Amino acid sequence: KNEVEQSPQNLTAQEGEFITINCSYSVGISALHWLQQHPGGGIVSLFMLSSGKKKHGRLIATINIQEKHSSLHITASHPRDSAVYICAVPQETSGSRLTFGEGTQLTVNP
Amino acid sequence: KAGVTQTPRYLIKTRGQQVTLSCSPISGHRSVSWYQQTPGQGLQFLFEYFSETQRNKGNFPGRFSGRQFSNSRSEMNVSTLELGDSALYLCASNYYNEQFFGPGTRLTVL
């Protein structure tokens, strides 16, 4: 079973700050997902990455396969970034079965 | 392309009743995964269907079941509801290991 650990669990920042959320997993994976969940409950897929780095707007995701570690960075954070960020990894034999981290509650104050 | 739709969005049931939730994936996607999200357990995998066949199942009791129709729409059923079944139920439309989540059905069991 693949364990997924996220840190920190809670994060409060001031608008404009640089944010980093970390994710570690225990076994080899083909890809890692970063998800965003707003208070309404809907989940949005931010990134799926298997190596290196991906960037979308102010969001950057990196992964180090050898160290089994991924980070999600938010540059120039904004109150609308306030949400729960979740990393998830697929089961080795099924890409459609995800194991999730506990999530990081991010609050960005104006 | 229309996104993933789930119906109903909210549901209130009493203990002992049964419930059926529906998920329509993105057109062309043949795989649907179901997840349960609770404050205590976080997000957990329920099952996955591909081309009308259950391809993977999580660690949930037999009261939780599902099916998929020829048009890829999927339903999940929970029989003999318990208070602990109160949760957000999310389905995801899968395409080559990418997952697109629906808005979820929030089930409250009284």
Side-chain angles (χ1 to χ4, degrees), chain A residues 33-46:
Chain A
H33 299 254
W34 280 104
L35 311 169
Q36 180 193 57
Q37 186 172 33
H38 279 283
I43 289 180
V44 174
S45 180
L46 298 174

Side-chain angles (χ1 to χ4, degrees), chain A residues 30 33 35 37 39-45 48 86 91 93-101, chain B residues 31 33 35 37 43 45 48 55-59 88 90 94 96-99 101-103 106:
Chain A
S30 56
H33 299 254
L35 311 169
Q37 186 172 33
I43 289 180
V44 174
S45 180
M48 185 180 75
I86 304 167
Q91 188 186 55
T93 54
S94 171
S96 301
R97 175 174 182 165
L98 298 179
T99 299
F100 300 86
Chain B
S31 169
S33 298
Y35 298 94
Q37 185 178 35
L43 275 157
F45 173 81
E48 183 218 349
R55 193 156 69 168
N56 218 326
K57 189 178 191 312
N59 298 322
L88 180 67
L90 291 152
N94 306 318
Y96 286 102
N97 292 338
E98 285 210 72
Q99 297 207 359
F101 288 84
R106 189 165 295 280

Side-chain angles (χ1 to χ4, degrees), chain A residues 78-92:
Chain A
H78 189 276
R80 65 174 173 267
D81 297 327
S82 298
V84 176
Y85 292 85
I86 304 167
C87 73
V89 299
Q91 188 186 55
E92 205 167 352

Side-chain angles (χ1 to χ4, degrees), chain B residues 36-96:
Chain B
Q36 181 198 62
Q37 185 178 35
T38 60
Q41 300 295 320
L43 275 157
Q44 293 183 287
F45 173 81
L46 279 157
F47 28 65
E48 183 218 349
Y49 285 87
F50 178 82
S51 293
E52 302 179 63
T53 301
Q54 187 181 85
R55 193 156 69 168
N56 218 326
K57 189 178 191 312
N59 298 322
F60 279 81
R63 298 185 298 107
F64 292 81
S65 63
R67 60 177 174 168
Q68 187 179 32
F69 301 94
S70 58
N71 62 357
S72 294
R73 188 177 72 85
S74 178
E75 288 181 346
M76 67 162 282
N77 184 276
V78 188
S79 63
T80 319
L81 284 165
E82 300 177 0
L83 295 178
D85 297 332
S86 293
L88 180 67
Y89 290 88
L90 291 152
C91 81
S93 178
N94 306 318
Y95 188 75
Y96 286 102

